[in-house]
Amino acid sequence: MSASEPLLLSTDEEVRKRFSEMIEETLSAILRSYSDDSAFSGVDPYTLREEIRSLGFLPEEGKGFEKVLAEVEKDILPHMLRTWSTKYMPHLHSPVLTETICSELIIACFNDSMDSWDQGPAATEMEESMVRGLIDLYGFPQGTADGCFTSGGSQSNISAIIAARDWYCAQRFGWDVKMNGLPPEYTKLRIYTSEISHFSMDKASHILGMGYQAVRKIPVDSKCRVDIRAFERMLEEDVAAGLYPFCAVATFGSTDFGSIDDAASMRELCDRYGMHLHADAAYGSGLIMSRRYRDRISAISLCDSITVDFHKMFLLPISCSAILMRDGERLKCFELHADYLNREEDEEDGYINLVGKSMQTTRRFDALKVFMAFQTRGVDGFGQIIDKAVGNASYLYGMISKDPAFIAPVEPELSSVVFALKDGDEVNKKVRRQLLSEGTVIGQTVKDGRVMLKFTMLNPNLEPEQIDAVVARIKEIGRSLS
């Protein structure tokens, strides 16, 4: 390794100078790696695979930073997805706010960990402060609610379902799952969620030892929301059959359609049967910032737990999510003390060890990203971002629903629009592939057995005329294929 390259940060002035140069060189390489508004180079997977593998794995002697950065700039950066491009809209995978890129540099430099206070003093206090703010923002009671940051929506959902199961088993059977494992009745436990909900519910049931069979999929209505009457019938039938409904999930923004379940009606049924109601708001949680659309998720405060994702509509870097729990005691299912980490005597003296609320041990200081973004933009700034995304979806749906060339089955509530050319599945598949090769990346899914295209519009720089241009190109490719 070159002697001019610092091994670690230190107080040495030469190290500080060289590190600053490395950061500047890296930023320059990033900015040189693109020159147009395309979202992707269009390279095919076989060519890219060969190119990446030719870079090698672990040389006997290091090449030095400058040579490695040059290889990255030449062979990797040009083929990375440019999430900031207005031509990138396939998934709930957002561009990122500039101030949060800066926050990532701070997080990486200090490398604090969120498991114990002595591994991240300021970081721990900041996460606690942000959790308290989120509790207020989403309408939970300060006196009893709690939460923590997680790696993403899946982990938040799984955490909520673990907490719900342990709480239910204690209440219903007098059984301590943490101490004794699964109760004898575990094969009869049931989770209820929309048939188009996120697959992390199935993952959770697998991880919890109950299997996919424990997840009951509720049919949806024409707006892709949970059919409340069907849900009620399923509960009646399952209880009559000797099963134990312990948790239901209300989706606040389904992955494909952005549909929002009727959580108020689900709350009534959960209360009737003594169930935990979880809000999977990984997608729709951002609506809380909008004065125009926030009423669409007003029932979120009725739930027992909430998944909030900041790396979707909030436009923060991956990964950044949180789990909020109305009754913070339910998070104690993750509490375990170790002499080398979270000593009880330290906690008695005011040192907060967040590992007791989390599935993870080592965690990044993701709360800093939320703090810097919230302080930089404020409610007004985020409101403009959210309103633009939802407004763009309304604009696109209004346009294509009137166009005889398209099918547009579901009016959007958030920022995703699912549609298709009427020319059939193979045409729609080829249209998406052709756009990909041209540097425009859109999504693909299935609705009622038909292949559909999807725009997920999170980018606040996206304008109606740019939407028009992509739609026109879709029609043009479709005509050429037909």
Side-chain angles (χ1 to χ4, degrees), residues 225 251-253 258-263 284 287-288 290-300 390-391 393-394 411-415:
R225 301 168 180 168
T251 301
F252 286 79
S259 45
I260 298 171
D261 289 337
D262 179 0
L287 240 61
I288 202 74
S290 170
R291 291 187 174 94
R292 184 182 302 176
Y293 302 113
R294 69 180 300 167
D295 286 349
R296 295 183 181 183
I297 63 164
S298 59
I300 199 167
V390 178
S394 297
E411 184 173 0
E413 292 185 90
L414 293 177
S415 62

Side-chain angles (χ1 to χ4, degrees), residues 28-53:
S28 294
I30 291 169
L31 297 178
R32 286 193 299 265
S33 71
Y34 64 94
S35 58
D36 58 35
D37 65 349
S38 63
F40 180 53
S41 67
V43 65
D44 69 86
Y46 299 104
T47 301
L48 181 58
R49 190 170 303 135
E50 184 177 347
E51 191 171 328
I52 296 297
R53 289 180 179 176

Side-chain angles (χ1 to χ4, degrees), residues 165 169 173 175 177 180-187 189:
R165 180 204 57 187
C169 289
F173 311 127
W175 188 272
V177 174
N180 302 315
L182 295 171
E185 300 89 351
Y186 82 94
T187 60
L189 293 170

